[in-house]
Amino acid sequence: GNDTLSPGEPSGLSVSLTGISTMSSGAAGGVMEQVYDKAATGPTSRKRILPGSVRVIKNRQSAGQVPAPAPPQLQDTWGTKSDTSLHVIPRDTNPLALSQEDRSRGYGLMSEPDHVVGSVPPSYGSVYGATPVNTENAKPSPPVLGQSFGRLSTGPSSMSGEHSRPFFFRASAMKNMPTMPAPIRASMPTTSSLRQSTKLTDEQEEDGWIMPDEDTTGGTYTNNEDDEESFEPKPLPASSDRQSASSSELKEEYPTVDEDDGDEDEEEDEGWITDDVVVSMEKNFAPKPPTLQPQHPTRSSSSSVKTSAQPSIQDLENQIAELTKQLTNLKKEQPPQDSVWNQQFQELLSREDTEFKFHSIASLAHDFQHAAEVYGRIIISERYLPVSAKTLKPLDVGGVAGGDKYLAHGILFKYVVDTQVTHTGIYMYGNTFANDAAAMKSAAHELRALARIADSGTAIKEGVAIPLCTLVDYRGFRLICLSLLPINRKTICYGSHDGGNTVYADEEMVPKMKKICKELNLKKHIVRDKALYACGDIEGHRGFDGRFYLLDFARLYPPESYRVTDNLFPIKDTRGPFFKMLRPELVVTNNGPLCSDAYTAFINNDPRSKEHNSEVENATFKLISQVIPEFATEIETYAREDKERYNSAGRRKGTEYTLCGTDVASLSKRINYVLHRMHRLGINRRMLGLIRHHLMVGSFNKVHDCTIFAAILYTEMAARVCKNIIRILLRKKMEELKVPSAEPYRVLLLNLFNLFSGFSPSSRHFWTSNTPPPLPASALEKLPKVDPPPDGPDPTRGVRGNLEFYIHTLSDERKQNKIKLAQTYHISVTDLPTPSEDIESLLLPMKCSILAKFGRLALSENEWNSEDRSRPMLFQGLFFLRLSDMLGIELSDRPQIFDMLNGNPPPPEPIPYQFILLHLVEMGVKVKHLHLVSSCEGNALWLRSLSVMEEMQSNGSRDNAEAKAKLIQFLKFAKEQFDLALNSIPDSIYTLFRLGRVEHALASIWDDNDEVQKRDYYQATVHHYKQAKDILAQKILWEPSADATGLPG
């Protein structure tokens, strides 16, 4: 690149460079030499670029000719370059032979046999910087002798083209290059033998091939006595003689552009390039050699060019799209590799119950949860980054519902977001808008159903495997994380993977599913033309490892009947059957099996579809009219028996309440009790408003003051509303910023906390207003029309949608207004001044949100119309405790800050409190996992306790204080783990029975002097044994004598 044209050298030359090829480090430096050719002439408009070389493209200028890109020609030239001067080898000089003068100056050959480059004999190792190889039994490739100037020949058909590659050496490498070892030279054929046994075909001759003995360079071949071949070139002609060669002679020897064979694509693949490519290559290097504007020769009238019809760009794009689709489908059909998580999990489940088995499963589940948390945080943080900038790239693994999917460390991550399922813009859960909160509920249903199948034990007995699963919540998003299974789209044998368009019912899988679903009290029904026991979109696979696998359990349990609940929830959810499901505890205690696909189109072909819907309607009516009122009575009875814990007889002083036992710890125990009992009875959390209604107007209200329980339930409802507010606004903020930073989200969270705590100027409006914000006309057109009630107040109270609908609609309207404003002033949206963040105008007030989420009976008429924050009463400390726990937010000064916020006794109206950034320690990841973690840990500790008890019995150390303390410690830890497992599945017979045994063991070895605690353990044992007995009795009570569906099989 530092060379310049000297006087007398031809003009019209363009120099281009290719990349420098680097070999292994060694004595020679390992860098291939570069080549210039400034003196060769000819009408060349296209050259072949050799690897690691610098080529010169020559163009003759014709008068009046307009420069244009030229088709390929078949001429090539050779040359070498030193560090200080440019040495030119004439065109008619054999490149395989260099003069002694050239060699003394350090110039090397441009082509060598491949056995030198590829196999590198030992004596060549120091030159190439490569490790010597054993050549004792090696069969070296023959040298290629067929080189031509028109094209770099790979030799006749008897010599493989891969045996020759052009390369260049540094001068030092060439000077020190040793001679070829004699054994290799002796085994190589000579040129004479090749000439005698080889003949070119007509096609090869037309394509530019030449034989080694053709005197294209004006030299002669000779053989010495040892049959060693040499080449004697003709004397070099003068430079002026070479430059005076007529163009006709050059045209005769070198084909012109008009005589091209037209195989442009093939030649381009082989290394031929055109002038425009050379010019573009020149731009990437600096400093550039002096170049002139290339000119192309005039086409010859006697030549002909092969032409063909070129496809249009649209045709090529369609072809690319079709090929991409085919490749994607083929990739999906490839048998995936089984993950280590799944292999270990299935292997451990198949073992006998031992302490090692349970401990190993718990450790594996902990590791799986940790990996899911680490990778889940990365995936969510990079949600809106370009795909090229993401640490983990999204996958396409099919499915109707669900968002982007990722694979990392053997774990499949799926975004839990609402997606469109039709071309008309209908969303899976939100109908006319993306209801991500409903999608998150669906993911929770999947985890819950999977846990029920694992707890029943029937699936394991039948040889049906399930994956490891966990949920990861971060910055408003949720991921469902599954262990990668050895399945693909072709392994499905039960259910459907395309929304019911294709249904499978394998003969071997059907009896297994019958036993599993019988344990869950689910009914057989018709989906298209197949009889299924579970939901239509469940997937059963016969894995590549021979196991049966089940997945996609979100709709395993039937939905609630909207015919019963519409009167309670005035905001209609037309897609409710896909996420408003009945709880498993209610379904399993129903008098008959229920259909998973009730109220959906999956059973349109089932002749008993009306019967299926009617049975689910009866179960929902039982929940509303019997189960919930009985639970309200249970709370009343429990309060009477434990007045110290639930002091509901508050004393009234004027208009204020003096309440006892209202510290945050006591209130937290009460709400946990209420929530646990709700799940145990099969009551959904969305029924909190109906339970509160029964407490306010029932017999409980007439006998006792219900202030504490009404305030506790209102606090829980408010915390759940604010949880959804924070989640959706965090998602909006991530979509707006599109960067994985942290500070903007902390600021948003701080503003919301100050709004909830009463410090914001808009706080009173948020907590007391009962008027929803106005909606734009475009949004009202999408909503179903609501007929005014014939008499009485409007049950919707003017609320036309849930919280998510209002935030989506109002934020989209704000975005459209910004776009219109930017168009008006002809500026970019990003150039508009950013006002102070007004999040309050996007929110539905608290009373309206509770109406939409928990029903019209959640608040009394007086509470709805009140403008006083004391009605309804809120425990502010309990509110922030529940909110932080549900979102994984860590606050400083915990738990003192909650007692300070709550007050003791708490005031009727919460005192405003200002949060600062220092209060927000971390907005962490919230993880929900299978009950297997806690259950297996409890089992491992229980078996360890049995071993200790046996050891104490055999050693006669039952009264040993140290051994007893050790045993009590193991039993207490086991009780804690079983209590956690019972929170996930409150009606698990297995967990209840094990927990009762642990408590009985504690009671038996407890100190007799502590009679109160000893009695408590005995009472807890009786309570849990009785629960297990009642649940088992309910299951045995319903044993149908025949198939309830009347269907064959």
Side-chain angles (χ1 to χ4, degrees):
N2 297 324
D3 292 318
T4 58
L5 289 175
S6 59
E9 290 186 326
S11 59
L13 304 181
S14 175
V15 181
S16 64
L17 291 88
T18 62
I20 298 177
S21 302
T22 304
M23 304 173 65
S24 303
S25 60
V31 180
M32 296 183 179
E33 191 61 77
Q34 305 296 318
V35 177
Y36 277 91
D37 187 355
K38 293 186 177 179
T41 59
T44 307
S45 61
R46 165 175 168 145
K47 293 300 176 187
R48 181 165 188 163
I49 298 300
L50 305 179
S53 66
V54 179
R55 306 299 300 145
V56 178
I57 306 305
K58 303 170 295 299
N59 301 282
R60 295 200 317 164
Q61 183 173 353
S62 302
Q65 183 178 353
V66 180
Q73 288 199 354
L74 306 180
Q75 180 179 350
D76 205 350
T77 58
W78 307 104
T80 58
K81 174 185 178 296
S82 70
D83 296 333
T84 58
S85 63
L86 182 71
H87 178 66
V88 177
I89 298 179
R91 177 179 55 80
D92 54 351
T93 299
N94 183 7
L96 299 181
L98 293 175
S99 66
Q100 187 63 30
E101 180 183 0
D102 291 332
R103 293 184 182 275
S104 64
R105 296 176 61 189
Y107 293 106
L109 298 180
M110 295 183 61
S111 179
E112 287 290 337
D114 189 51
H115 70 269
V116 177
V117 178
S119 58
V120 189
S123 59
Y124 284 73
S126 61
V127 176
Y128 293 91
T131 304
V133 297
N134 185 9
T135 58
E136 226 176 274
N137 301 319
K139 295 181 179 180
S141 305
V144 178
L145 304 177
Q147 303 283 357
S148 72
F149 297 116
R151 175 173 296 183
L152 178 61
S153 173
T154 56
S157 58
S158 62
M159 292 177 287
S160 174
E162 66 182 9
H163 291 159
S164 177
R165 298 189 184 93
F167 65 95
F168 311 96
F169 301 101
R170 282 192 180 277
S172 58
M174 288 301 301
K175 290 177 181 178
N176 300 324
M177 178 176 289
T179 58
M180 187 178 298
I184 298 180
R185 291 171 55 85
S187 62
M188 295 171 55
T190 63
T191 309
S192 301
S193 61
L194 291 173
R195 286 200 300 270
Q196 294 172 3
S197 60
T198 308
K199 184 178 181 181
L200 292 177
T201 63
D202 295 340
E203 182 180 359
Q204 290 172 331
E205 290 180 351
E206 293 177 359
D207 201 30
W209 299 99
I210 62 171
M211 288 297 295
D213 55 349
E214 293 184 25
D215 189 10
T216 59
T217 62
T220 57
Y221 287 96
T222 60
N223 287 73
N224 57 18
E225 295 178 357
D226 298 329
D227 199 28
E228 294 181 355
E229 189 176 64
S230 63
F231 181 83
E232 183 66 21
K234 288 182 179 180
L236 276 81
S239 175
S240 58
D241 296 337
R242 294 197 305 271
Q243 294 179 7
S244 62
S246 63
S247 60
S248 59
E249 294 173 351
L250 292 172
K251 287 183 179 181
E252 186 177 350
E253 184 172 359
Y254 302 101
T256 62
V257 65
D258 295 286
E259 296 170 345
D260 184 20
D261 55 7
D263 297 331
E264 298 178 2
D265 295 336
E266 177 184 354
E267 292 165 356
E268 194 169 58
D269 293 340
E270 294 178 358
W272 297 86
I273 63 171
T274 54
D275 287 350
D276 53 341
V277 178
V278 172
V279 172
S280 64
M281 292 167 62
E282 292 171 349
K283 295 179 180 179
N284 298 326
F285 295 86
K288 299 179 181 178
T291 58
L292 298 177
Q293 181 65 30
Q295 299 288 333
H296 298 282
T298 308
R299 291 177 175 270
S300 172
S301 59
S302 60
S303 61
S304 61
V305 181
K306 298 179 182 179
T307 60
S308 59
Q310 297 294 327
S312 65
I313 294 179
Q314 185 62 40
D315 292 340
L316 291 174
E317 289 180 348
N318 295 338
Q319 186 177 1
I320 292 173
E322 181 63 27
L323 289 173
T324 302
K325 181 179 179 181
Q326 295 175 4
L327 289 172
T328 303
N329 293 335
L330 289 174
K331 186 176 180 181
K332 291 178 184 178
E333 296 172 1
Q334 294 297 317
Q337 294 183 355
D338 198 1
S339 66
V340 177
W341 304 108
N342 182 65
Q343 294 174 5
Q344 294 184 8
F345 184 53
Q346 305 305 334
E347 193 272 332
L348 289 172
L349 288 177
S350 62
R351 293 189 177 188
E352 296 292 332
D353 290 351
T354 61
E355 181 185 346
F356 174 78
K357 169 187 174 178
F358 291 121
H359 178 73
S360 299
I361 293 178
S363 299
L364 180 69
H366 274 300
D367 291 342
F368 180 84
Q369 175 182 331
H370 175 72
E373 180 180 346
V374 171
Y375 288 108
R377 183 193 291 263
I378 295 173
I379 292 172
I380 294 176
S381 299
E382 299 176 349
R383 164 74 174 173
Y384 292 103
L385 287 181
V387 175
S388 59
K390 290 185 177 182
T391 305
L392 301 172
K393 312 301 182 186
L395 304 174
D396 180 16
V397 294
V400 176
D404 295 338
K405 301 171 178 66
Y406 297 79
L407 181 63
H409 201 63
I411 304 176
L412 181 65
F413 297 84
K414 297 192 294 184
Y415 265 107
V416 182
V417 293
D418 200 3
T419 54
Q420 292 186 1
V421 293
T422 66
H423 298 293
T424 57
I426 300 299
Y427 285 85
M428 180 68 188
Y429 304 107
N431 193 19
T432 58
F433 71 101
N435 191 348
D436 292 338
M440 291 182 181
K441 287 183 182 178
S442 179
H445 295 328
E446 179 157 355
L447 183 67
R448 184 180 304 117
L450 194 154
R452 304 293 299 202
I453 292 177
D455 184 74
S456 69
T458 308
I460 298 176
K461 294 177 183 177
E462 294 298 322
V464 178
I466 57 174
L468 281 169
C469 179
T470 190
L471 301 180
V472 175
D473 293 346
Y474 184 58
R475 290 187 182 173
F477 286 97
R478 172 169 287 180
L479 294 173
I480 183 168
C481 315
L482 300 167
S483 57
L484 188 64
L485 304 179
I487 60 174
N488 62 14
R489 295 174 66 90
K490 286 192 172 182
T491 60
I492 188 170
C493 62
Y494 194 87
S496 175
H497 59 69
D498 55 5
N501 293 324
T502 309
V503 184
Y504 302 86
D506 182 79
E507 295 181 356
E508 190 175 352
M509 191 68 172
V510 168
K512 298 178 183 294
M513 290 300 300
K514 179 179 180 180
K515 294 181 181 180
I516 294 173
C517 292
K518 180 182 179 181
E519 190 75 17
L520 305 177
N521 204 18
L522 296 177
K523 187 179 184 182
K524 180 164 70 173
H525 56 282
I526 300 297
V527 179
R528 283 196 175 268
D529 57 343
K530 300 292 191 305
L532 300 180
Y533 286 91
C535 53
D537 52 359
I538 198 172
E539 293 187 23
H541 291 260
R542 189 192 298 268
F544 289 97
D545 59 354
R547 295 189 182 97
F548 287 101
Y549 289 93
L550 273 182
L551 62 153
D552 287 355
F553 311 94
R555 292 197 319 103
L556 181 63
Y557 288 94
E560 68 178 20
S561 172
Y562 63 85
R563 296 174 181 173
V564 177
T565 58
D566 269 2
N567 186 42
L568 301 173
F569 298 91
I571 308 303
K572 303 297 185 294
D573 281 320
T574 57
R575 306 290 294 180
F578 293 100
F579 65 92
K580 289 187 174 181
M581 323 307 290
L582 296 176
R583 285 196 63 86
E585 299 84 359
L586 182 71
V587 175
V588 76
T589 57
N590 195 61
N591 292 333
L594 299 176
C595 175
S596 300
D597 288 322
Y599 295 104
T600 68
F602 283 97
I603 58 173
N604 284 348
N605 293 338
D606 194 327
R608 293 177 174 266
S609 59
K610 292 184 178 180
E611 177 185 328
H612 301 329
N613 294 340
S614 177
E615 291 169 346
V616 172
E617 182 178 348
N618 292 336
T620 308
F621 183 78
K622 176 185 175 182
L623 170 68
I624 300 299
S625 62
Q626 179 181 340
V627 177
I628 292 178
E630 288 179 355
F631 177 57
T633 304
E634 179 184 333
I635 295 178
E636 176 186 358
T637 304
Y638 199 91
R640 287 174 179 173
E641 294 176 353
D642 195 356
K643 293 182 180 180
E644 181 180 356
R645 185 177 180 187
Y646 292 95
N647 186 4
S648 55
R651 293 169 296 175
R652 188 182 302 272
K653 290 184 178 180
T655 58
E656 297 182 358
Y657 290 105
T658 302
L659 303 175
C660 302
T662 54
D663 59 285
V664 175
S666 299
L667 295 173
S668 179
K669 290 180 181 179
R670 296 177 189 181
I671 189 60
N672 287 334
Y673 164 78
V674 171
L675 297 177
H676 177 76
R677 290 298 295 158
M678 285 178 63
H679 283 178
R680 168 63 187 86
L681 298 172
I683 303 175
N684 305 87
R685 300 263 171 101
R686 59 180 172 272
M687 299 299 175
L688 280 168
L690 185 58
I691 296 173
R692 187 175 187 272
H693 169 73
H694 282 287
L695 293 179
M696 296 283 289
V697 301
S699 60
F700 182 75
N701 186 42
K702 297 175 183 177
V703 178
H704 298 285
D705 192 339
C706 65
T707 304
I708 291 181
F709 286 98
I712 287 175
L713 295 182
Y714 175 73
T715 301
E716 180 68 17
M717 291 188 294
R720 292 184 174 274
V721 168
C722 293
K723 175 193 69 175
N724 288 346
I725 290 176
I726 292 175
R727 280 178 172 174
I728 190 171
L729 290 180
L730 283 173
R731 293 195 295 269
K732 290 289 184 182
K733 177 62 69 173
M734 286 193 66
E735 184 180 4
E736 175 188 349
L737 298 179
K738 296 181 172 58
V739 291
S741 58
E743 196 64 18
Y745 310 108
R746 296 183 70 228
V747 172
L748 172 63
L749 192 61
L750 176 66
N751 293 335
L752 289 172
F753 267 42
N754 284 325
L755 174 67
F756 302 151
S757 67
F759 182 79
S760 172
S762 305
S763 295
R764 178 165 292 277
H765 173 80
F766 172 74
W767 285 104
T768 61
S769 175
N770 59 8
T771 304
L775 293 171
S778 58
L780 293 174
E781 294 175 356
K782 298 180 181 180
L783 294 174
K785 294 183 179 181
V786 178
D787 298 329
D791 54 353
D794 181 8
T796 65
R797 301 181 186 268
V799 181
R800 301 303 308 275
N802 57 21
L803 172 69
E804 288 77 12
F805 171 74
Y806 272 87
I807 293 180
H808 274 290
T809 303
L810 296 177
S811 61
D812 288 345
E813 182 190 22
R814 181 182 294 182
K815 186 185 301 183
Q816 293 300 323
N817 291 338
K818 283 186 177 181
I819 294 175
K820 292 179 181 178
L821 184 62
Q823 292 175 348
T824 302
Y825 291 97
H826 304 286
I827 59 176
S828 174
V829 176
T830 57
D831 296 334
L832 290 173
T834 303
S836 58
E837 190 152 342
D838 178 22
I839 56 178
E840 295 84 359
S841 61
L842 299 176
L843 302 182
L844 195 63
M846 176 58 70
K847 292 180 180 179
C848 299
S849 298
I850 287 181
L851 170 71
K853 186 174 180 64
F854 296 100
R856 63 184 182 87
L857 299 178
L859 301 175
S860 66
E861 191 70 24
N862 291 334
E863 290 174 333
W864 177 263
N865 295 321
S866 174
E867 296 182 0
D868 188 356
R869 278 212 63 186
S870 62
R871 305 191 64 182
M873 183 177 181
L874 177 85
F875 290 121
Q876 188 164 257
L878 178 64
F879 167 83
F880 280 103
L881 172 64
R882 294 290 300 151
L883 185 61
S884 301
D885 288 344
M886 287 187 287
L887 292 174
I889 299 173
E890 183 179 351
L891 296 179
S892 61
D893 299 330
R894 183 185 177 122
Q896 292 82 2
I897 188 173
F898 300 124
D899 289 324
M900 181 180 60
L901 288 167
N902 204 65
N904 193 13
E909 182 173 337
I911 299 175
Y913 182 82
Q914 181 182 9
F915 283 92
I916 60 176
L917 283 175
L918 294 178
H919 284 117
L920 305 178
V921 178
E922 184 182 5
M923 187 167 48
V925 179
K926 183 71 174 178
V927 179
K928 297 181 180 179
H929 54 73
L930 284 173
H931 79 297
L932 283 175
V933 178
S934 302
S935 179
C936 289
E937 286 183 344
N939 278 309
L941 291 167
W942 165 244
L943 294 177
R944 174 67 63 86
S945 302
L946 291 179
S947 300
V948 174
M949 284 190 286
E950 291 177 0
E951 183 180 350
M952 292 172 60
Q953 187 73 22
S954 61
N955 296 338
S957 58
R958 182 176 178 82
D959 296 331
N960 184 279
E962 184 178 351
K964 184 181 291 188
K966 181 180 179 181
L967 176 60
I968 290 175
Q969 184 181 23
F970 285 145
L971 290 172
K972 282 186 173 181
F973 286 155
K975 183 181 183 306
E976 290 178 2
Q977 295 303 318
F978 282 129
D979 282 334
L980 291 175
L982 205 61
N983 289 333
S984 299
I985 307 180
D987 64 340
S988 172
I989 299 176
Y990 182 87
T991 305
L992 288 168
F993 180 68
R994 281 292 172 92
L995 180 57
R997 292 192 67 182
V998 170
E999 291 167 337
H1000 188 204
L1002 280 169
S1004 62
I1005 67 172
W1006 203 258
D1007 188 359
D1008 294 337
N1009 296 327
D1010 191 355
E1011 185 178 349
V1012 175
Q1013 186 63 57
K1014 197 178 187 72
R1015 184 188 299 110
D1016 288 343
Y1017 281 132
Y1018 274 123
Q1019 289 179 346
T1021 303
V1022 172
H1023 175 69
H1024 291 127
Y1025 275 0
K1026 185 178 179 180
Q1027 277 189 316
K1029 186 201 72 170
D1030 292 343
I1031 295 171
L1032 189 59
Q1034 289 176 344
K1035 288 187 176 182
I1036 297 176
L1037 183 63
W1038 183 78
E1039 282 290 342
S1041 57
D1043 196 316
T1045 62
L1047 297 172

